[in-house]
Amino acid sequence: MEGKQNLPAGWRWVKLGEVCNYSQYGLTVSELHSDDGYPLIRITDIDDLGNLKLEDIKCAQLDDTTFKRYELRDGDILFARTGSLGRTFLYSGNPSEAVFASYLIRFSLNKSIIEPLYLFYYTHSKEYFEFIEEKKHTVSQPNINAEEYKSLLIPLPPLFEQKRIAAKLKEMMNEIDNARLACEKQLEAAKALPSAYLREVFESPEARSWPKKKLGEVCEKIVGGGTPSRGRLEYWGDYIYWLSPSELEEDKLNYVFQTKEKISEEGSRNSNAKIIPPKSVLLSCTASVGKVAINIVPLTTNQQFNSFVLKNQMAVPEFIGYYLIYKKEEIKRLGGKTTFTFISKNEISNILIPLPPLSEQKRIAEYLKEKITQAEKLQAAIEKELETINSLPQSILSKAFRGEL
Protein backbone atom coordinates (compact mmCIF):
# COMPACT_ATOMS: atom_id res chain seq x y z
CA MET A 1 0.00 0.00 0.00
CA GLU A 2 1.11 3.54 -0.71
CA GLY A 3 3.35 5.02 1.97
CA LYS A 4 3.86 1.69 3.76
CA GLN A 5 7.13 -0.19 4.06
CA ASN A 6 7.96 -3.02 1.70
CA LEU A 7 7.15 -6.43 3.15
CA PRO A 8 8.96 -9.77 2.79
CA ALA A 9 7.82 -12.17 0.10
CA GLY A 10 4.52 -13.81 1.02
CA TRP A 11 3.46 -10.96 3.32
CA ARG A 12 0.70 -8.47 2.59
CA TRP A 13 -0.98 -5.44 4.11
CA VAL A 14 -4.51 -6.01 5.37
CA LYS A 15 -6.98 -3.89 7.30
CA LEU A 16 -8.28 -5.07 10.64
CA GLY A 17 -11.78 -5.01 9.22
CA GLU A 18 -10.71 -7.60 6.61
CA VAL A 19 -9.58 -10.16 9.19
CA CYS A 20 -12.36 -9.86 11.77
CA ASN A 21 -15.75 -11.54 11.83
CA TYR A 22 -17.44 -8.62 13.53
CA SER A 23 -16.92 -5.80 16.02
CA GLN A 24 -19.13 -4.98 19.00
CA TYR A 25 -19.36 -2.27 21.62
CA GLY A 26 -19.52 -3.34 25.26
CA LEU A 27 -22.43 -3.06 27.65
CA THR A 28 -23.31 -0.39 30.18
CA VAL A 29 -23.94 -1.63 33.71
CA SER A 30 -25.46 0.55 36.40
CA GLU A 31 -24.48 -1.58 39.39
CA LEU A 32 -21.35 -3.64 40.05
CA HIS A 33 -20.72 -6.33 42.66
CA SER A 34 -17.58 -7.75 44.24
CA ASP A 35 -18.21 -11.44 43.46
CA ASP A 36 -21.84 -11.92 42.49
CA GLY A 37 -22.46 -12.20 38.75
CA TYR A 38 -20.35 -12.35 35.60
CA PRO A 39 -16.83 -10.80 35.60
CA LEU A 40 -16.99 -7.45 33.77
CA ILE A 41 -13.77 -6.29 32.09
CA ARG A 42 -13.40 -2.48 32.02
CA ILE A 43 -10.69 -0.22 30.60
CA THR A 44 -9.38 0.40 34.10
CA ASP A 45 -8.84 -3.34 34.59
CA ILE A 46 -6.30 -3.45 31.74
CA ASP A 47 -2.77 -2.08 32.14
CA ASP A 48 -0.60 -0.51 29.42
CA LEU A 49 1.02 -3.86 28.62
CA GLY A 50 -2.34 -5.52 28.03
CA ASN A 51 -2.37 -7.44 31.29
CA LEU A 52 -5.58 -7.85 33.27
CA LYS A 53 -5.60 -6.62 36.87
CA LEU A 54 -7.63 -9.54 38.18
CA GLU A 55 -7.75 -8.17 41.72
CA ASP A 56 -9.76 -5.17 40.45
CA ILE A 57 -12.38 -7.10 38.50
CA LYS A 58 -16.02 -6.45 39.45
CA CYS A 59 -19.08 -8.48 38.49
CA ALA A 60 -22.35 -7.66 36.73
CA GLN A 61 -25.67 -9.42 37.24
CA LEU A 62 -27.11 -10.21 33.79
CA ASP A 63 -29.91 -12.28 32.33
CA ASP A 64 -28.96 -15.19 30.07
CA THR A 65 -29.72 -13.33 26.84
CA THR A 66 -27.54 -10.34 27.73
CA PHE A 67 -24.73 -12.60 28.97
CA LYS A 68 -24.70 -14.62 25.73
CA ARG A 69 -24.60 -11.42 23.68
CA TYR A 70 -21.55 -10.00 25.48
CA GLU A 71 -19.75 -13.19 26.52
CA LEU A 72 -16.08 -13.09 25.55
CA ARG A 73 -14.64 -15.95 23.54
CA ASP A 74 -11.09 -17.22 23.34
CA GLY A 75 -9.09 -15.07 20.91
CA ASP A 76 -11.31 -11.98 21.13
CA ILE A 77 -9.38 -8.71 21.34
CA LEU A 78 -10.73 -5.71 23.21
CA PHE A 79 -9.77 -2.20 22.08
CA ALA A 80 -10.26 0.92 24.23
CA ARG A 81 -12.44 3.40 22.33
CA THR A 82 -12.01 6.29 24.77
CA GLY A 83 -9.94 7.17 27.82
CA SER A 84 -6.77 5.05 27.57
CA LEU A 85 -6.91 5.01 23.79
CA GLY A 86 -5.11 2.18 22.04
CA ARG A 87 -5.00 -0.06 25.10
CA THR A 88 -5.83 -3.67 24.15
CA PHE A 89 -6.52 -6.99 25.86
CA LEU A 90 -6.42 -10.48 24.35
CA TYR A 91 -8.96 -12.74 26.03
CA SER A 92 -7.81 -16.34 26.55
CA GLY A 93 -10.43 -17.67 28.95
CA ASN A 94 -9.43 -16.00 32.22
CA PRO A 95 -11.62 -15.05 33.99
CA SER A 96 -14.17 -17.52 32.70
CA GLU A 97 -17.62 -16.37 31.61
CA ALA A 98 -16.42 -12.77 31.31
CA VAL A 99 -18.20 -9.90 29.60
CA PHE A 100 -16.90 -6.45 28.62
CA ALA A 101 -17.87 -2.88 29.42
CA SER A 102 -19.10 -0.05 27.20
CA TYR A 103 -15.82 1.83 26.65
CA LEU A 104 -14.31 -1.25 25.02
CA ILE A 105 -14.84 -2.67 21.52
CA ARG A 106 -14.69 -6.41 20.91
CA PHE A 107 -13.12 -7.63 17.67
CA SER A 108 -13.88 -11.26 16.89
CA LEU A 109 -11.08 -12.44 14.62
CA ASN A 110 -11.13 -14.87 11.72
CA LYS A 111 -8.57 -17.34 13.02
CA SER A 112 -8.17 -18.94 9.63
CA ILE A 113 -6.56 -15.68 8.48
CA ILE A 114 -4.95 -14.12 11.53
CA GLU A 115 -3.39 -15.38 14.76
CA PRO A 116 -4.89 -13.35 17.66
CA LEU A 117 -1.61 -13.25 19.61
CA TYR A 118 0.19 -11.88 16.54
CA LEU A 119 -2.33 -9.04 16.29
CA PHE A 120 -2.15 -8.42 20.05
CA TYR A 121 1.62 -7.88 19.83
CA TYR A 122 1.15 -5.62 16.82
CA THR A 123 -1.06 -3.39 18.98
CA HIS A 124 2.02 -2.64 21.10
CA SER A 125 4.18 -1.53 18.19
CA LYS A 126 5.29 2.00 17.33
CA GLU A 127 3.34 1.82 14.08
CA TYR A 128 0.14 1.01 15.95
CA PHE A 129 0.47 3.97 18.28
CA GLU A 130 1.19 6.23 15.32
CA PHE A 131 -2.15 5.02 13.93
CA ILE A 132 -3.84 5.87 17.25
CA GLU A 133 -2.41 9.39 17.22
CA GLU A 134 -3.55 9.90 13.64
CA LYS A 135 -7.10 8.64 14.16
CA LYS A 136 -8.09 9.87 17.61
CA HIS A 137 -10.68 12.61 17.92
CA THR A 138 -10.01 15.05 20.73
CA VAL A 139 -13.12 16.79 21.96
CA SER A 140 -13.78 16.57 25.70
CA GLN A 141 -12.10 13.14 25.71
CA PRO A 142 -10.11 11.43 22.91
CA ASN A 143 -11.94 8.59 21.17
CA ILE A 144 -11.76 6.18 18.24
CA ASN A 145 -14.77 4.25 16.97
CA ALA A 146 -15.00 0.71 15.61
CA GLU A 147 -15.04 1.74 11.94
CA GLU A 148 -11.83 3.71 12.42
CA TYR A 149 -10.17 0.79 14.19
CA LYS A 150 -11.15 -1.39 11.22
CA SER A 151 -8.93 0.77 9.00
CA LEU A 152 -5.81 -0.25 10.97
CA LEU A 153 -3.23 -1.64 8.52
CA ILE A 154 -1.51 -4.85 9.62
CA PRO A 155 1.59 -6.43 7.99
CA LEU A 156 0.35 -10.01 7.56
CA PRO A 157 2.58 -13.01 6.83
CA PRO A 158 1.18 -16.50 6.17
CA LEU A 159 -0.66 -18.00 9.16
CA PHE A 160 2.09 -20.46 10.08
CA GLU A 161 4.61 -17.58 10.12
CA GLN A 162 2.27 -15.49 12.28
CA LYS A 163 2.13 -18.33 14.80
CA ARG A 164 5.92 -18.71 14.78
CA ILE A 165 6.45 -14.96 15.28
CA ALA A 166 3.82 -14.79 18.03
CA ALA A 167 5.36 -17.74 19.91
CA LYS A 168 8.85 -16.21 19.61
CA LEU A 169 7.59 -12.81 20.80
CA LYS A 170 5.83 -14.42 23.78
CA GLU A 171 9.05 -16.17 24.77
CA MET A 172 11.14 -12.99 24.42
CA MET A 173 8.59 -10.77 26.18
CA ASN A 174 8.47 -13.19 29.10
CA GLU A 175 12.25 -12.98 29.38
CA ILE A 176 12.06 -9.17 29.30
CA ASP A 177 9.31 -9.20 31.96
CA ASN A 178 11.48 -11.37 34.21
CA ALA A 179 14.47 -9.09 33.68
CA ARG A 180 12.30 -6.01 34.38
CA LEU A 181 10.93 -7.54 37.57
CA ALA A 182 14.42 -8.43 38.82
CA CYS A 183 15.69 -4.94 37.97
CA GLU A 184 12.73 -3.27 39.70
CA LYS A 185 13.44 -5.29 42.85
CA GLN A 186 17.08 -4.17 42.73
CA LEU A 187 15.93 -0.57 42.28
CA GLU A 188 13.56 -0.83 45.24
CA ALA A 189 16.40 -2.16 47.40
CA ALA A 190 18.75 0.62 46.23
CA LYS A 191 16.15 3.29 47.02
CA ALA A 192 15.83 1.90 50.55
CA LEU A 193 19.57 2.20 51.27
CA PRO A 194 19.70 5.90 52.30
CA SER A 195 16.99 5.38 54.93
CA ALA A 196 18.82 2.28 56.14
CA TYR A 197 22.05 4.26 56.56
CA LEU A 198 20.22 6.97 58.51
CA ARG A 199 18.69 4.36 60.83
CA GLU A 200 22.08 2.72 61.25
CA VAL A 201 23.48 5.99 62.60
CA PHE A 202 20.59 7.52 64.53
CA GLU A 203 19.26 4.27 66.03
CA SER A 204 22.65 2.93 67.08
CA PRO A 205 23.49 2.19 70.74
CA GLU A 206 26.01 5.03 70.54
CA ALA A 207 23.30 7.49 69.49
CA ARG A 208 21.30 6.80 72.66
CA SER A 209 24.08 8.29 74.76
CA TRP A 210 24.35 11.55 72.82
CA PRO A 211 23.13 14.66 74.66
CA LYS A 212 20.11 16.38 73.16
CA LYS A 213 19.08 19.98 72.71
CA LYS A 214 16.09 21.67 71.19
CA LEU A 215 16.71 22.69 67.57
CA GLY A 216 16.06 26.31 68.51
CA GLU A 217 18.87 26.16 71.07
CA VAL A 218 21.52 25.36 68.45
CA CYS A 219 20.43 28.24 66.17
CA GLU A 220 21.48 31.85 66.09
CA LYS A 221 18.05 32.44 64.59
CA ILE A 222 15.27 30.73 62.67
CA VAL A 223 14.30 32.63 59.54
CA GLY A 224 10.95 32.31 57.81
CA GLY A 225 10.34 33.24 54.20
CA GLY A 226 8.00 35.17 51.99
CA THR A 227 6.96 36.01 48.45
CA PRO A 228 7.26 39.58 47.21
CA SER A 229 4.20 40.89 45.39
CA ARG A 230 4.07 39.50 41.87
CA GLY A 231 2.30 42.67 40.85
CA ARG A 232 5.37 44.80 41.60
CA LEU A 233 7.91 44.17 38.85
CA GLU A 234 10.55 46.12 40.76
CA TYR A 235 10.45 43.44 43.50
CA TRP A 236 11.80 40.85 41.09
CA GLY A 237 15.02 40.81 39.13
CA ASP A 238 18.48 39.36 38.83
CA TYR A 239 19.83 40.11 42.30
CA ILE A 240 18.98 37.82 45.24
CA TYR A 241 18.33 34.07 44.97
CA TRP A 242 14.79 33.06 45.98
CA LEU A 243 14.02 29.37 46.67
CA SER A 244 10.76 27.39 46.57
CA PRO A 245 10.28 23.73 47.66
CA SER A 246 9.54 22.61 44.10
CA GLU A 247 13.26 23.02 43.34
CA LEU A 248 14.25 20.41 45.93
CA GLU A 249 14.16 16.61 45.83
CA GLU A 250 12.36 14.54 48.46
CA ASP A 251 14.28 12.43 51.01
CA LYS A 252 17.61 13.91 50.05
CA LEU A 253 20.03 16.47 51.47
CA ASN A 254 19.92 19.08 48.72
CA TYR A 255 22.70 21.60 48.18
CA VAL A 256 21.53 24.91 46.74
CA PHE A 257 23.99 26.79 44.51
CA GLN A 258 21.38 28.82 42.61
CA THR A 259 17.61 29.15 42.23
CA LYS A 260 15.16 29.41 39.37
CA GLU A 261 13.98 32.86 40.40
CA LYS A 262 15.58 35.95 41.91
CA ILE A 263 14.20 38.96 43.73
CA SER A 264 15.49 42.50 44.15
CA GLU A 265 16.74 44.16 47.35
CA GLU A 266 13.53 46.17 47.36
CA GLY A 267 11.52 42.94 47.12
CA SER A 268 13.36 41.53 50.12
CA ARG A 269 12.82 44.73 52.14
CA ASN A 270 9.11 44.77 51.38
CA SER A 271 8.37 41.11 52.17
CA ASN A 272 9.31 38.36 54.63
CA ALA A 273 11.89 37.00 52.16
CA LYS A 274 14.95 37.83 54.26
CA ILE A 275 18.50 36.93 53.30
CA ILE A 276 19.82 33.69 54.83
CA PRO A 277 23.60 33.24 55.21
CA PRO A 278 25.38 30.28 53.58
CA LYS A 279 25.59 26.89 55.36
CA SER A 280 22.17 27.28 56.93
CA VAL A 281 19.75 24.34 57.05
CA LEU A 282 16.50 24.88 55.16
CA LEU A 283 13.36 22.87 55.92
CA SER A 284 10.03 23.04 54.08
CA CYS A 285 7.30 23.25 56.71
CA THR A 286 4.17 23.87 54.64
CA ALA A 287 2.48 21.64 52.03
CA SER A 288 5.56 19.66 50.81
CA VAL A 289 6.76 19.12 54.38
CA GLY A 290 10.17 17.64 55.08
CA LYS A 291 12.36 18.70 52.15
CA VAL A 292 15.82 19.58 53.46
CA ALA A 293 18.62 21.66 51.95
CA ILE A 294 21.84 23.47 52.77
CA ASN A 295 22.45 26.72 50.94
CA ILE A 296 25.94 27.26 49.57
CA VAL A 297 25.12 30.85 48.60
CA PRO A 298 23.19 33.61 50.40
CA LEU A 299 19.53 33.40 49.45
CA THR A 300 15.93 34.01 50.42
CA THR A 301 13.04 31.54 50.43
CA ASN A 302 9.30 31.59 50.03
CA GLN A 303 6.98 31.27 53.03
CA GLN A 304 7.02 27.47 52.99
CA PHE A 305 10.45 27.33 54.62
CA ASN A 306 11.94 27.71 58.04
CA SER A 307 15.70 28.18 57.80
CA PHE A 308 18.06 27.44 60.66
CA VAL A 309 21.12 29.65 61.02
CA LEU A 310 23.30 27.47 63.26
CA LYS A 311 25.53 28.64 66.10
CA ASN A 312 29.23 28.27 65.39
CA GLN A 313 31.00 25.37 67.07
CA MET A 314 27.75 23.76 68.18
CA ALA A 315 26.29 21.92 65.16
CA VAL A 316 27.43 20.74 61.72
CA PRO A 317 24.84 21.69 59.05
CA GLU A 318 25.05 18.32 57.28
CA PHE A 319 24.57 16.43 60.55
CA ILE A 320 21.46 18.48 61.37
CA GLY A 321 20.21 18.10 57.78
CA TYR A 322 20.54 14.32 57.81
CA TYR A 323 18.81 14.13 61.19
CA LEU A 324 15.86 16.16 59.90
CA ILE A 325 15.55 13.78 56.93
CA TYR A 326 15.60 10.85 59.36
CA LYS A 327 12.83 12.53 61.41
CA LYS A 328 10.71 13.45 58.36
CA GLU A 329 7.62 11.44 59.34
CA GLU A 330 7.70 12.75 62.91
CA ILE A 331 8.04 16.30 61.59
CA LYS A 332 5.03 15.75 59.30
CA ARG A 333 2.94 14.67 62.27
CA LEU A 334 3.56 18.01 63.94
CA GLY A 335 1.27 19.52 61.31
CA GLY A 336 -1.65 17.35 62.43
CA LYS A 337 -4.24 15.68 60.21
CA THR A 338 -5.36 18.69 58.22
CA THR A 339 -5.87 19.23 54.50
CA PHE A 340 -3.18 21.93 54.44
CA THR A 341 -0.15 20.94 56.53
CA PHE A 342 1.56 23.76 58.38
CA ILE A 343 4.30 23.50 61.01
CA SER A 344 4.99 26.64 62.99
CA LYS A 345 8.41 28.03 63.82
CA ASN A 346 7.73 27.34 67.49
CA GLU A 347 6.84 23.67 66.87
CA ILE A 348 9.90 22.99 64.74
CA SER A 349 12.25 24.79 67.14
CA ASN A 350 11.23 22.39 69.94
CA ILE A 351 12.35 19.24 68.12
CA LEU A 352 15.10 17.51 70.11
CA ILE A 353 18.37 17.17 68.20
CA PRO A 354 21.16 14.75 69.24
CA LEU A 355 24.49 16.56 69.65
CA PRO A 356 27.58 14.38 69.82
CA PRO A 357 30.93 16.22 69.88
CA LEU A 358 31.53 18.42 66.82
CA SER A 359 34.26 16.12 65.52
CA GLU A 360 31.86 13.17 65.74
CA GLN A 361 29.14 15.13 63.91
CA LYS A 362 31.61 15.84 61.11
CA ARG A 363 32.66 12.17 60.91
CA ILE A 364 29.05 10.98 60.80
CA ALA A 365 28.08 13.60 58.20
CA GLU A 366 31.00 12.55 55.98
CA TYR A 367 30.14 8.86 56.43
CA LEU A 368 26.48 9.41 55.53
CA LYS A 369 27.37 11.59 52.56
CA GLU A 370 29.72 8.92 51.20
CA LYS A 371 27.30 6.02 51.72
CA ILE A 372 24.26 7.88 50.38
CA THR A 373 26.22 9.11 47.35
CA GLN A 374 27.18 5.50 46.62
CA ALA A 375 23.51 4.47 46.95
CA GLU A 376 22.42 7.23 44.57
CA LYS A 377 25.02 6.15 42.00
CA LEU A 378 23.81 2.56 42.33
CA GLN A 379 20.22 3.71 41.90
CA ALA A 380 21.13 5.73 38.79
CA ALA A 381 22.92 2.72 37.28
CA ILE A 382 19.93 0.44 37.92
CA GLU A 383 17.53 3.05 36.49
CA LYS A 384 19.66 3.19 33.35
CA GLU A 385 19.59 -0.61 33.10
CA LEU A 386 15.81 -0.56 33.58
CA GLU A 387 15.51 2.07 30.84
CA THR A 388 17.44 -0.23 28.51
CA ILE A 389 15.19 -3.18 29.40
CA ASN A 390 12.07 -1.10 28.81
CA SER A 391 13.32 -0.08 25.37
CA LEU A 392 13.79 -3.69 24.25
CA PRO A 393 10.14 -4.53 23.41
CA GLN A 394 9.83 -1.79 20.77
CA SER A 395 13.11 -2.83 19.16
CA ILE A 396 12.00 -6.47 19.06
CA LEU A 397 8.51 -5.65 17.81
CA SER A 398 9.91 -3.46 15.06
CA LYS A 399 12.07 -6.36 13.80
CA ALA A 400 9.20 -8.83 14.12
CA PHE A 401 6.83 -6.85 11.91
CA ARG A 402 9.52 -6.29 9.29
CA GLY A 403 10.01 -10.04 9.04
CA GLU A 404 13.45 -9.94 10.69
CA LEU A 405 12.73 -12.00 13.81
Side-chain angles (χ1 to χ4, degrees):
M1 294 197 177
E2 187 177 350
K4 304 303 292 185
Q5 68 189 41
N6 292 326
L7 296 176
W11 290 47
R12 60 193 173 103
W13 288 104
V14 298
K15 293 180 179 179
L16 176 57
E18 297 170 348
V19 295
C20 72
N21 299 313
Y22 63 88
S23 62
Q24 180 188 13
Y25 292 92
L27 78 162
T28 301
V29 178
S30 58
E31 187 177 355
L32 296 176
H33 305 268
S34 296
D35 53 11
D36 184 17
Y38 297 103
L40 177 72
I41 297 176
R42 302 159 296 171
I43 288 178
T44 53
D45 300 323
I46 304 167
D47 68 19
D48 288 338
L49 298 177
N51 300 308
L52 200 62
K53 296 178 275 189
L54 288 168
E55 68 278 5
D56 295 337
I57 296 289
K58 301 295 182 183
C59 295
Q61 294 180 342
L62 307 171
D63 58 52
D64 288 346
T65 302
T66 304
F67 166 66
K68 290 297 182 184
R69 182 180 178 189
Y70 293 99
E71 179 186 11
L72 287 168
R73 295 170 179 82
D74 188 62
D76 285 348
I77 291 190
L78 299 177
F79 287 74
R81 67 183 178 92
T82 190
S84 301
L85 270 185
R87 191 174 287 184
T88 60
F89 172 67
L90 173 61
Y91 182 71
S92 56
N94 188 27
S96 61
E97 296 188 321
V99 293
F100 60 106
S102 58
Y103 287 166
L104 294 167
I105 307 172
R106 179 230 300 264
F107 281 84
S108 170
L109 302 177
N110 184 340
K111 296 180 185 178
S112 67
I113 301 176
I114 190 164
E115 163 60 39
L117 187 58
Y118 176 88
L119 175 59
F120 172 73
Y121 282 125
Y122 187 68
T123 64
H124 290 80
S125 68
K126 178 175 70 71
E127 291 77 12
Y128 171 73
F129 285 106
E130 288 174 352
F131 165 84
I132 295 298
E133 284 300 311
E134 177 188 337
K135 291 293 182 181
K136 71 180 181 183
H137 306 284
T138 303
V139 189
S140 57
Q141 192 172 22
N143 65 88
I144 298 178
N145 63 38
E147 290 305 308
E148 288 164 326
Y149 268 122
K150 286 180 181 179
S151 69
L152 170 67
L153 286 172
I154 305 161
L156 198 72
L159 190 59
F160 72 88
E161 180 67 0
Q162 294 177 47
K163 292 180 182 293
R164 184 195 70 79
I165 291 171
K168 184 66 175 176
L169 284 173
K170 185 175 182 179
E171 177 187 344
M172 297 177 79
M173 294 303 175
N174 285 339
E175 290 175 357
I176 290 171
D177 286 343
N178 291 335
R180 182 188 294 113
L181 181 62
C183 199
E184 286 172 346
K185 287 181 177 179
Q186 292 175 357
L187 183 59
E188 186 178 344
K191 286 180 176 180
L193 285 175
S195 294
Y197 294 136
L198 293 172
R199 290 195 301 273
E200 174 194 339
V201 168
F202 295 117
E203 295 177 11
S204 66
E206 180 187 11
R208 297 192 191 103
S209 65
W210 293 337
K212 291 182 172 62
K213 285 184 178 293
K214 291 180 179 180
L215 180 55
E217 294 175 344
V218 302
C219 296
E220 291 285 352
K221 57 182 176 179
I222 300 176
V223 182
T227 302
S229 171
R230 293 283 185 181
R232 300 290 295 270
L233 295 180
E234 67 271 22
Y235 289 177
W236 299 84
D238 194 24
Y239 308 103
I240 303 169
Y241 290 120
W242 182 80
L243 182 71
S244 65
S246 63
E247 299 176 61
L248 304 180
E249 293 184 50
E250 295 269 7
D251 304 316
K252 177 180 180 177
L253 186 55
N254 297 268
Y255 288 89
V256 182
F257 295 87
Q258 60 182 1
T259 59
K260 290 180 180 177
E261 292 187 276
K262 295 179 183 180
I263 63 174
S264 66
E265 292 180 357
E266 189 176 356
S268 177
R269 283 196 304 269
N270 287 279
S271 72
N272 289 324
K274 304 308 178 187
I275 295 177
I276 301 158
K279 301 297 284 184
S280 298
V281 180
L282 321 176
L283 176 69
S284 61
C285 292
T286 304
S288 301
V289 171
K291 291 185 176 182
V292 181
I294 293 174
N295 59 314
I296 305 304
V297 294
L299 52 68
T300 58
T301 73
N302 74 4
Q303 60 274 16
Q304 292 177 266
F305 284 98
N306 280 311
S307 300
F308 311 105
V309 182
L310 303 176
K311 292 179 180 177
N312 289 331
Q313 302 305 309
M314 184 171 283
V316 173
E318 285 81 0
F319 181 85
I320 300 298
Y322 283 126
Y323 187 74
L324 291 175
I325 295 170
Y326 167 70
K327 283 291 187 180
K328 178 181 177 179
E329 293 307 315
E330 183 178 318
I331 291 170
K332 281 185 172 181
R333 287 194 291 272
L334 292 175
K337 296 181 179 180
T338 58
T339 304
F340 186 77
T341 306
F342 171 76
I343 301 169
S344 69
K345 188 183 295 187
N346 182 59
E347 287 172 321
I348 201 69
S349 67
N350 284 321
I351 288 180
L352 289 176
I353 298 291
L355 283 178
L358 210 61
S359 59
E360 182 68 359
Q361 291 183 45
K362 289 178 181 177
R363 184 193 68 78
I364 290 169
E366 289 171 359
Y367 168 78
L368 286 172
K369 184 175 183 179
E370 179 184 0
K371 300 299 286 186
I372 290 173
T373 298
Q374 290 173 355
E376 289 171 347
K377 288 180 179 178
L378 175 62
Q379 180 179 329
I382 296 171
E383 286 173 342
K384 187 173 182 180
E385 182 181 354
L386 185 58
E387 186 179 328
T388 300
I389 291 171
N390 287 334
S391 70
L392 286 174
Q394 279 307 318
S395 174
I396 292 169
L397 290 171
S398 181
K399 289 183 178 180
F401 299 116
R402 292 198 305 265
E404 297 174 2
L405 192 63

